[in-house]
Amino acid sequence: MHQFNIALDLYSALLCLVLGVYVLVSGDRRDRANLCFAGICACNAVMALGDMASWMFAAPLDGVEHAVMLVGTFAFYVAPAPLFMFFTSYITAYLGKRTTLPHDYLRLSVALFALYTAGCVVSLFNGMFFRVDPATGYERGPLFWLAQVVPVILHLRNAAIVVRHRGCLERKELLGFASYIALPIVAEVVQVAFYGIALMNTAVALAILLVFLSIQSERKALLAQRERELAEARSDI
């Protein structure tokens, strides 16, 4: 099972890195939506690589193994908050091209991100979210459930933003966002209930791929519109 989880995490990290780099290289790097999408990809890649560290070594751990597992576990725990914050920014940038948004949705996301990150840092010392012991390896802390609350709140808030402004999205785009909302929730429920199955990063990577396909669909439609406008301009000359 450990080798299977490592393979899933490695695949997820590579897929996200490829998609993020492609969007930055082929798209407009001044576009906030593109930058946020790359940030989403980078955060999930960090999560996947951090999760790999939990499966690579068996207890008892030597000094190097303990350090690698501790750094990886911290990366896995801390990455979800900026990931969902980037997604909030991505949604608002994407929707902002089509409508005027009534609220600054990022304020609450930034506040929750800061609170959650502080909790992850404190956990390095008191183990409230997680602990990595040289004798036993990775263990969930007594407040592990609290570490799931902030990412879930951010995720559900993103879902609420999409639902509220769904009229601004085409069907393909709405399906892409819906997959990003639904797949991680299903994976989180399974992963919390059955420790030993690493589904979260793979589910997020798959959802990112579906969002990427919707981006490409929008870009294709935009290019077609520009070609029509150029053809009409030439015909008028």
Side-chain angles (χ1 to χ4, degrees), residues 9 57 74 77 79 81 93 97-98 106 110-111 122 142 144 155 163 176-177 180 202 208 212 221 233:
D9 284 334
F57 308 113
F74 175 77
Y77 270 81
K97 298 176 182 180
R98 307 182 182 189
L106 274 176
V110 171
V122 170
F144 168 79
H155 196 59
V163 171
F177 283 122
Y180 192 88
T202 303
I208 288 174
F212 171 79

Side-chain angles (χ1 to χ4, degrees), residues 132-184:
V132 179
D133 187 272
T136 57
Y138 164 76
E139 296 177 354
R140 292 175 176 176
L143 296 180
F144 168 79
W145 62 270
L146 186 59
Q148 312 305 306
V149 170
V150 171
V152 168
I153 291 175
L154 289 171
H155 196 59
L156 293 177
R157 188 164 180 268
N158 289 337
I161 296 172
V162 171
V163 171
R164 181 174 183 179
H165 300 284
R166 63 187 182 279
C168 302
L169 299 171
E170 296 180 3
R171 185 177 180 182
K172 289 182 179 179
E173 297 167 334
L174 191 58
L175 288 175
F177 283 122
S179 68
Y180 192 88
I181 292 165
L183 289 176

Side-chain angles (χ1 to χ4, degrees), residues 36 39-47 73-90 105-121 129 146-158 180 184 188 200-201 204:
C36 291
I40 293 170
C41 293
C43 288
N44 195 56
V46 169
M47 280 181 62
T73 302
F74 175 77
F76 175 75
Y77 270 81
V78 81
L83 187 153
F84 291 128
M85 189 174 68
F86 272 124
F87 191 57
T88 303
S89 185
Y90 174 77
Y105 290 108
L106 274 176
R107 289 184 181 179
L108 179 60
S109 296
V110 171
L112 290 174
F113 163 73
L115 181 64
Y116 178 79
T117 302
C120 291
V121 172
F129 289 169
L146 186 59
Q148 312 305 306
V149 170
V150 171
V152 168
I153 291 175
L154 289 171
H155 196 59
L156 293 177
R157 188 164 180 268
N158 289 337
Y180 192 88
E188 178 73 9
M200 172 59 74
N201 302 311
V204 173

